[in-house]
Amino acid sequence: MTTATLTPLLEIAGLRASYGEAEVLRGIDLRVDAGEIVALLGRNGAGRSTLAKAVMGLVARHGSVRLDGVETSQWRTCDLARHGIAYVAETRDLFPTLTVRQNLLLGLRAGRRFAHVCEPLLASLPLLARRLDVRAGVLSGGEQQMLAMARAMAGEPVLLILDEPTEGLAPAVVAQIADWLDVLAKQGIGVLLIEQKLSIALRLAQRVYLMGRGEIAFAGTPAGLAEHHETLRHWLEWSNEGSTFAL
Ligand SMILES: Nc1ncnc2c1ncn2[C@@H]1O[C@H](COP(=O)(O)OP(=O)(O)OP(=O)(O)O)[C@@H](O)[C@H]1O
Ligand SMILES: [Mg+2]
């Protein structure tokens, strides 16, 4: 009997990227399966955003990036998006003078309808659903983040890359985003969640990678990482006093 091995949704191998002389990614291996939330942790400047940009073809890169087994490392950003990778940058990149509805419409694939694609998405984002005719620029930070993620999902991707979606948001909003990511993963979407907070990774991710100075310093489960006090102390601003994660 042969054992079927699932092709990873995203498989990165030996990925390198530099800004001028400075090598920022120094041979990254990472995998995200369909329906899995994978957290990528690291301190400021570790290279996490550069990794997302390298996958998306937004910085020059060397190495292998496979989507569903297909090599994409030479593809253009627009082709990566067309084949199902959605990316929400730290900057969110919304159109502030357009309404929530108009921003969402811009995320749709050609020929797809708002009612079919966006309304089901909004069912799990009640805060945003109530603000469809409001200009994106006047939304709160949390609402803007939800809109950026919903617009990314309007393109019906198979993989969602989120760069620090919970940064600076109130705990109640973070909880809503976390619940929504859970819903997406249960629908089979793969999520690569760039984070700085171990608490979020512990709550959400099935697997976690910790990056330090352009290399993977730890790969495993969030609970496994939480036990690695030395690794945490070295690569994250972490303290286990009172059993809390102060990140
Ligand atoms: N456009 C750029 N030109 C030159 N250096 C850059 C550029 N973007 C990032 N860097 C440098 O590359 C390194 C990695 O940056 P990156 O943004 O990937 O880190 P990060 O892990 O996302 O951290 P953070 O989001 O907290 O800044 C840092 O030293 C940063 O200063
Ligand atoms: Mg970053």
Side-chain angles (χ1 to χ4, degrees):
M1 198 176 86
T2 55
T3 314
T5 41
L6 278 180
T7 307
L9 181 60
L10 176 74
E11 189 171 30
I12 297 172
L15 190 65
R16 294 178 174 271
S18 306
Y19 297 111
E21 296 287 289
E23 195 175 36
V24 173
L25 302 182
R26 305 196 293 159
I28 300 291
D29 299 337
L30 181 150
R31 185 187 99 235
V32 181
D33 291 330
E36 190 181 37
I37 301 178
V38 173
L40 177 62
L41 294 169
R43 283 181 200 258
N44 288 99
R48 297 159 303 148
S49 297
T50 303
L51 178 84
K53 289 175 190 164
V55 170
M56 293 310 295
L58 294 166
V59 296
R61 73 281 200 210
H62 302 280
S64 171
V65 179
R66 289 177 180 269
L67 180 67
D68 228 351
V70 179
E71 183 60 54
T72 68
S73 57
Q74 301 304 314
W75 290 13
R76 294 174 305 171
T77 306
C78 57
D79 294 326
L80 291 161
R82 207 157 45 82
H83 282 83
I85 309 186
Y87 163 56
V88 181
E90 285 167 298
T91 44
R92 296 176 190 147
D93 302 335
L94 296 171
F95 295 96
T97 59
L98 300 185
T99 64
V100 168
R101 187 192 304 274
Q102 288 166 334
N103 270 276
L104 288 171
L105 283 168
L106 287 170
L108 287 176
R109 285 172 182 261
R112 300 291 282 155
R113 297 172 70 98
F114 188 89
H116 290 151
V117 181
C118 296
E119 281 174 13
L121 282 174
L122 290 165
S124 344
L125 292 171
L127 270 184
L128 203 58
R130 286 199 289 274
R131 314 215 69 192
L132 277 179
D133 297 314
V134 171
R135 285 210 302 270
V138 303
L139 297 176
S140 70
E143 289 166 341
Q144 289 193 8
Q145 185 59 48
M146 285 180 198
L147 175 55
M149 296 194 312
R151 189 183 60 182
M153 286 307 301
E156 300 171 273
V158 291
L159 174 72
L160 183 59
I161 302 177
L162 300 171
D163 199 345
E164 303 216 38
T166 67
E167 175 70 15
L169 302 184
V173 183
V174 173
Q176 282 200 32
I177 290 176
D179 290 347
W180 194 56
L181 291 182
D182 246 350
V183 170
L184 297 183
K186 289 202 170 75
Q187 291 167 4
I189 308 292
V191 179
L192 179 60
L193 175 66
I194 296 174
E195 261 301 334
Q196 215 175 98
K197 300 183 197 75
L198 179 62
S199 52
I200 306 263
L202 280 172
R203 165 152 178 217
L204 268 180
Q206 282 84 60
R207 286 186 307 109
V208 57
Y209 293 87
L210 174 59
M211 220 171 140
R213 288 199 212 103
E215 291 177 321
I216 299 296
F218 175 91
T221 63
L225 176 59
E227 310 255 291
H228 272 241
H229 294 186
E230 274 318 305
T231 308
L232 288 170
R233 236 175 248 121
H234 195 69
W235 294 113
L236 284 173
E237 277 134 48
W238 178 80
S239 133
N240 65 347
E241 280 162 37
S243 308
T244 57
F245 299 104
L247 297 174

